[in-house]
Each structure stands twice: as C-alpha cells, then as structure tokens.
Amino acid sequence: MQGSSDLIRKFTEQPLIRDLPVDAAQAVLALRYCILCRRSERDPMPELERRWGNILAARRYRLVVEAIGHIWPDPFAVAPPCCPRLSFDEALLAAMVGAAGRGDQARFDTLTAEMLGSDARTMLFTTLENFVRARAPGRV
C-alpha cells in the first residue's frame, strides 16, 4: 500500500517554482501578478517593465497573457502569489516558455495539441517566442 501512495504523490505533486529555469519562473510569477492586477483593476505594465528591464518585453508578455486568455479552452488555473508550487496550467506555461525559448515548435505542439487547435498553437508559440526574444539582450 505504501508504494501506491508514493506513486500517486509522484504523479500529483506539482513542481516548485524555485526548481524552474529562471525564464519560466519569471513568466509564471508575472502571470500571477497580471491576474492580481486585473482583479484590482491596476495596470501591470510598470511592474512587468521593472521585472524585465525593458518596455518591449513587458508589452510582449502582456500579449502572451491576452493570447492565453483568448484561446485557452478553460479558465487558466493560477496559484496564489505566495504559493511555492505550480498549478498544472502554470507548469504547462513553464514548459511552453522553455520550448519557445529554444525555438522548438514541435515540442510546443506536443505539449498543447490536445487542448489547442493548430492556429491557436501557432499564435501562442509566436507570441511566446517574441516575448523570449525581447528578453534576450541583443535579440529582438
């Protein structure tokens, strides 16, 4: 019996934010912040610009958030800001950021094919890729 509970825990336990690559962790935390801002009717742009040090990255991330809101089939599950663990959707976002950062559309499609159509996947991949490029020094 002990073995089955360990297996269940392994498959249901969500990763910690601190274990993510920096770009993925920043994207997840920024999404949480954007959601808080939307709920309190505040503009997230000043904090996004401060977080990434440039307005282009902030604008492109805002487009990522808008794209997710537009194409995601269900409400995007976001953990509270203080939560050290990722929701399943946040874990998927982290993996999508990694795939977009490597320019790996095949991996991105594998991650999202069951829930998003081809056009939605292409739009979201391009939006994430543009955001990642804006974050990288010397690449826009």
Side-chain angles (χ1 to χ4, degrees):
M1 194 60 118
Q2 179 65 25
S4 65
S5 66
D6 289 340
L7 186 61
I8 290 170
R9 188 178 317 106
K10 179 180 179 183
F11 284 119
T12 59
E13 188 172 84
Q14 287 303 104
L16 293 166
I17 290 175
R18 70 174 184 228
D19 294 337
L20 293 175
V22 173
D23 284 348
Q26 286 288 324
V28 168
L29 293 173
L31 179 64
R32 290 178 180 183
Y33 182 76
C34 287
I35 299 300
L36 284 176
C37 285
R38 175 172 282 160
R39 289 179 182 159
S40 63
E41 298 179 6
R42 291 183 23 223
D43 182 8
M45 291 300 289
E47 171 60 20
L48 295 178
E49 184 177 355
R50 186 201 62 74
R51 177 181 302 269
W52 289 306
N54 74 61
I55 190 68
L56 183 60
R59 287 179 180 157
R60 288 185 177 178
Y61 191 75
R62 191 169 196 171
L63 290 174
V64 168
V65 173
E66 289 174 13
I68 289 171
H70 180 71
I71 65 171
W72 217 252
D74 296 313
F76 196 93
V78 179
C82 59
C83 184
R85 297 216 177 262
L86 301 168
S87 71
F88 288 104
D89 285 339
E90 290 172 332
L92 180 55
L93 173 63
M96 292 186 310
V97 167
R102 293 184 305 277
D104 188 350
Q105 184 145 12
R107 175 69 180 141
F108 186 90
D109 288 347
T110 299
L111 292 166
T112 58
E114 289 185 24
M115 58 192 303
L116 300 175
S118 176
D119 289 345
R121 285 193 316 270
T122 300
M123 181 197 44
L124 187 54
F125 179 80
T126 301
T127 305
L128 276 166
E129 193 175 41
N130 287 339
F131 159 68
V132 171
R133 273 202 317 262
R135 294 233 326 108
R139 292 178 56 204
V140 178

